[in-house]
Amino acid sequence: MKMSVDREITLRMARAAQIRVAPEDVDHMMDSINDILSFCALVGDLDCTGTPDFTWRMKKRPSRRPDITRDWEDRERFKEKAPAIDGNFFRVPRISSEV
Amino acid sequence: MEIYELTAREVADGIKAKKFSAEDVTRTCLARLSSLEGYLNACITVAEDSAVAKAREIDSRLARGDEIGPLAGVPYIAKDNFCSKGVRTTCSSKILENWTPTYDASAISYMNGAGAVLMAKSNLDEFAMGSSTENSIIGPTKNPRDLRRVPGGSSGGSAAAVAAGYCPIALGSDTGGSVRQPAAFCGIQGMKPSYGEVSRYGVVAYASSLDQVSPLARSVEDLAIAMEVLARPDPNDTTCDAYDRPKFSDSLSLRDLKGKRIGVFAGFGAEEIDADLYGALTSAAEHCRSAGAEIEPIDLPIAVKYGVATYYVTALADASSQLACYDGIRYGAHTDGQTLADMYSNTRTVSFGEEVRRRIILGTALLTEGYYQNYYGPALKVRTKMVKEFDDLFERFDAYLLPTSPSMPYMLGMKEEDPTRMYLGDVFTVPISLGGLPGINISMGLTGEGLPLSVQLVGQRYDDARLLGIASVIERLAGRPGIANPNLPQNAEKRRG
């Protein structure tokens, strides 16, 4: 079944994706999403009754890695990439519910 | 013949025979890059110092009589979505513009371990989302066969570099055709291996259920050598199959195609495919017939009708999940915000490009209630039916011939306003990705205007070695591609004037 998005749904999807859409860009984003949704609705046209969902088959599954702590690279190098540091931890802003 | 015109095997043999040193080769290739890069814009980062140091190390090891690998001293370029320890890895995105990984992707480790010399990181569409290599923080790459045209994408930088003679071999990633199509547009060979054949560990994901590390070269033999280096089990990637691979280069001993059955795609007429590319498909079929193969027309009704829609639903849903890790904390760019949610959305809004933002939002929509039931769920079932269509045909055929692209490389800046029409350029490559099948773009020479012709050879999953053998027979009859016009700078000056 072909579906579409309106301005409100476009903004809700953008929020879920953690992306802001400027008010003047909402219509353009909505139209381009609707173009793709309209084209992709084709996937509903093929009769797939009784067809299982796709999964990858493998010849031989890889063995699992041992579930143990591995040696770290230089911890200081990772900390250098953090936007802010608090001791040995990355510091992040409060989540909204705690503000 | 200049060193930069040699294949990877010829370079490796020449170094072992001490005809030239690894340092000579690297410096010659760096000079070639330097002379053309102002016109092509194929590379984001050139690792000149580390490349020369590695080449010297190869020469020292050779002088000491140490064992050196099968690609010892061969310069290569990797698409800038492969993590390379100490070398910036941007994915052509502002969000990773200054990000330098602390580890190598498995494919990079394997190439380096085989003695290959990482010379540069190549341009791509941001996060591999595109088909023209125009959507990049460093601007578009140009096609070395015709500077007015796109090189294809998203591995357009790697394809342009190999075609122009920067290096004999390069790494790309192919999600829905991102190596085969640029190989076709630049007139070289490019292979997407079976899904699960090569480890994806350390390759920045676009769509994990489709992405495959894929080599580009100017000969099928070099593709086989690359596959021997790259294809092996890797416990760091749970999608990388643990079976014992065959020796890919053994398949190159195939002299003819007697006893082989090759299906030739006949689902589109000459009016739906560029006339020259339709002619290339016919020529490739004739080469197979003259080599002893039995040729029969085939159609792929499910793959052709539903492939592109199924691909975009799958890839966009994958992408929205995979790119969630760019949160402004763990990797790359960071934009402050008052709350955690503000910081996430500020970072992602400012630092992702428009096409990436659009694909993430769309992928998020496809995974939400209602859209999932009408799009993602059906796409999973259509994908199963598509694989069955391929499997049924492989009961009768050893391989299929299809076009790689329905059209020739288009002009730079010729933006397609309708995104669904733009995506239809992928009609022959995405079904192969959805099926996890190996596909090789084989160069079929040039048109009178010097534009590249090509065909796509597709095999059964895990039949990569046999496919390379068939491709090598076609290549012998069609001719191996040479490097792009050596007079490129002069031509470019004229065009610019």
Side-chain angles (χ1 to χ4, degrees):
Chain A
M1 185 179 73
K2 192 194 288 187
M3 297 179 76
S4 60
V5 294
D6 56 19
R7 285 176 60 91
E8 190 193 328
I9 296 175
T10 301
L11 288 168
R12 184 151 30 101
M13 295 306 168
R15 270 197 302 279
Q18 311 274 13
I19 288 170
R20 246 190 269 287
V21 181
E24 64 273 22
D25 295 333
V26 175
D27 285 342
H28 176 66
M29 180 65 78
M30 179 183 72
D31 289 345
S32 83
I33 289 175
N34 281 332
D35 281 345
I36 307 282
L37 286 176
S38 173
F39 172 72
C40 288
L42 200 58
V43 297
D45 289 356
L46 186 66
D47 181 7
C48 292
T49 311
T51 305
D53 287 352
F54 174 81
T55 53
W56 281 119
R57 290 167 289 176
M58 296 182 97
K59 277 190 174 183
K60 187 178 174 190
R61 294 210 164 270
S63 53
R64 290 176 184 237
R65 294 196 304 255
D67 186 15
I68 52 170
T69 307
R70 293 196 286 176
D71 286 341
W72 273 71
E73 299 259 351
D74 183 358
R75 183 182 288 269
E76 295 307 313
R77 289 188 60 200
F78 287 97
K79 282 164 62 179
E80 280 169 18
K81 294 177 190 298
I85 283 291
D86 185 358
N88 254 344
F89 300 99
F90 281 35
R91 194 170 66 214
V92 297
R94 287 177 177 280
I95 58 170
S96 25
S97 60
E98 289 177 353
V99 172
Chain B
M1 185 178 269
E2 302 289 341
I3 285 177
Y4 58 74
E5 293 179 81
L6 301 177
T7 65
R9 207 261 304 148
E10 290 164 345
V11 167
D13 286 355
I15 290 170
K16 279 180 196 123
K18 301 193 175 167
K19 285 188 191 163
F20 36 73
S21 69
E23 185 174 347
D24 288 341
V25 174
T26 294
R27 288 198 183 279
T28 303
C29 287
L30 283 166
R32 175 76 178 169
L33 181 153
S34 175
S35 69
L36 298 179
E37 184 58 4
Y39 304 100
L40 295 182
N41 199 36
C43 297
I44 294 177
T45 303
V46 180
E48 183 169 348
D49 292 345
S50 59
V52 171
K54 171 79 185 278
R56 284 181 178 155
E57 182 200 321
I58 297 290
D59 287 331
S60 303
R61 286 168 56 191
L62 190 62
R64 286 198 303 268
D66 292 352
E67 190 65 33
I68 55 172
L71 289 173
V74 175
Y76 77 103
I77 287 176
K79 186 174 179 177
D80 207 23
N81 60 348
F82 284 72
C83 287
S84 45
K85 188 173 182 175
V87 180
R88 192 167 68 118
T89 298
T90 68
C91 289
S92 282
S93 179
K94 202 173 158 192
I95 208 161
L96 290 175
E97 196 172 2
N98 296 307
W99 185 66
T100 302
T102 55
Y103 70 105
D104 279 328
S106 292
I108 298 279
S109 298
Y110 301 156
M111 290 293 282
N112 294 349
V117 175
L118 179 64
M119 201 170 87
K121 303 291 294 294
S122 60
N123 199 12
L124 65 151
D125 291 295
E126 185 179 0
F127 281 101
M129 295 181 187
S131 313
S132 65
T133 317
E134 294 177 292
N135 178 27
S136 159
I137 41 165
I138 66 158
T141 293
K142 294 176 183 170
N143 190 321
R145 305 276 176 195
D146 181 342
L147 294 178
R148 299 167 303 169
R149 295 175 190 267
V150 301
S154 62
S155 307
S158 287
V162 170
Y166 287 11
C167 54
I169 201 160
L171 296 181
S173 60
D174 189 316
T175 304
S178 281
V179 156
R180 288 161 288 158
Q181 183 253 27
F185 277 18
C186 292
I188 57 168
Q189 325 294 39
M191 175 177 187
K192 185 198 84 71
S194 295
Y195 187 81
E197 198 70 42
V198 180
S199 171
R200 297 180 299 103
Y201 177 69
V203 180
V204 178
Y206 162 20
S208 291
S209 76
L210 295 157
D211 297 340
Q212 264 301 278
V213 169
S214 305
L216 302 105
R218 294 190 300 269
S219 77
V220 171
E221 182 184 34
D222 282 359
L223 295 179
I225 294 169
M227 284 296 288
E228 275 178 15
V229 169
L230 295 167
R232 59 180 78 177
D234 181 5
N236 287 321
D237 176 5
T238 53
T239 65
C240 184
D241 207 300
Y243 85 106
D244 291 328
R245 273 64 167 174
K247 190 162 166 49
F248 293 95
S249 56
D250 284 352
S251 61
L252 304 176
S253 59
L254 192 67
R255 302 324 308 173
D256 57 48
L257 300 179
K258 283 179 190 145
K260 298 269 189 283
R261 288 168 69 93
I262 311 276
V264 179
F265 180 72
F268 279 11
E271 69 283 358
E272 288 157 294
I273 300 170
D274 177 275
D276 288 324
L277 293 172
Y278 191 78
L281 180 66
T282 309
S283 300
E286 279 310 311
H287 287 322
C288 292
R289 195 192 308 276
S290 71
E294 219 175 299
I295 303 295
E296 267 188 52
I298 59 156
D299 196 3
L300 295 162
I302 296 176
V304 169
K305 182 168 181 187
Y306 299 98
V308 178
T310 307
Y311 170 79
Y312 278 98
V313 172
T314 309
L316 298 181
D318 275 13
S320 76
S321 308
Q322 253 98 61
L323 273 66
C325 66
Y326 300 100
D327 54 11
I329 299 171
R330 287 174 285 176
Y331 308 97
H334 165 84
T335 306
D336 277 330
Q338 293 229 311
T339 66
L340 193 64
D342 284 345
M343 192 205 64
Y344 288 158
S345 54
N346 289 348
T347 299
R348 291 161 66 82
T349 304
V350 168
S351 299
F352 281 137
E354 185 188 347
E355 177 67 13
V356 174
R357 291 199 306 271
R358 186 160 63 97
R359 291 194 193 206
I360 292 174
I361 294 172
L362 192 50
T364 304
L366 291 167
L367 290 173
T368 55
E369 181 72 19
Y371 297 89
Y372 183 97
Q373 286 79 356
N374 283 297
Y375 289 87
Y376 192 72
L380 286 174
K381 293 186 189 304
V382 174
R383 198 171 174 185
T384 301
K385 289 199 104 162
M386 206 177 297
V387 169
K388 170 96 171 51
E389 179 173 82
F390 286 128
D391 286 348
D392 289 348
L393 273 175
F394 280 121
E395 286 181 10
R396 294 192 290 127
F397 296 100
D398 296 283
Y400 316 146
L401 282 170
L402 303 158
T404 303
S405 165
S407 60
M408 301 296 269
Y410 41 91
M411 294 293 181
L412 284 154
M414 204 183 80
K415 296 242 188 255
E416 175 56 78
E417 288 301 316
D418 176 354
T420 57
R421 276 173 56 104
M422 184 176 78
Y423 297 153
L424 286 176
D426 306 329
V427 68
F428 296 120
T429 49
V430 296
I432 311 310
S433 302
L434 287 162
L437 311 179
I440 303 177
N441 179 75
I442 305 171
S443 165
M444 294 295 294
L446 304 172
T447 65
E449 294 172 301
L451 291 176
L453 297 168
S454 64
V455 73
Q456 183 182 195
L457 182 72
V458 176
Q460 196 161 10
R461 188 158 176 230
Y462 296 118
D463 213 7
D464 302 54
R466 194 156 63 138
L467 197 69
L468 282 161
I470 297 171
S472 71
V473 172
I474 298 173
E475 182 190 63
R476 270 199 293 278
L477 294 165
R480 208 173 72 187
I483 62 164
N485 183 2
N487 296 319
L488 196 60
Q490 286 79 13
N491 288 348
E493 287 297 340
K494 280 179 196 160
R495 282 198 191 103
R496 291 200 308 175

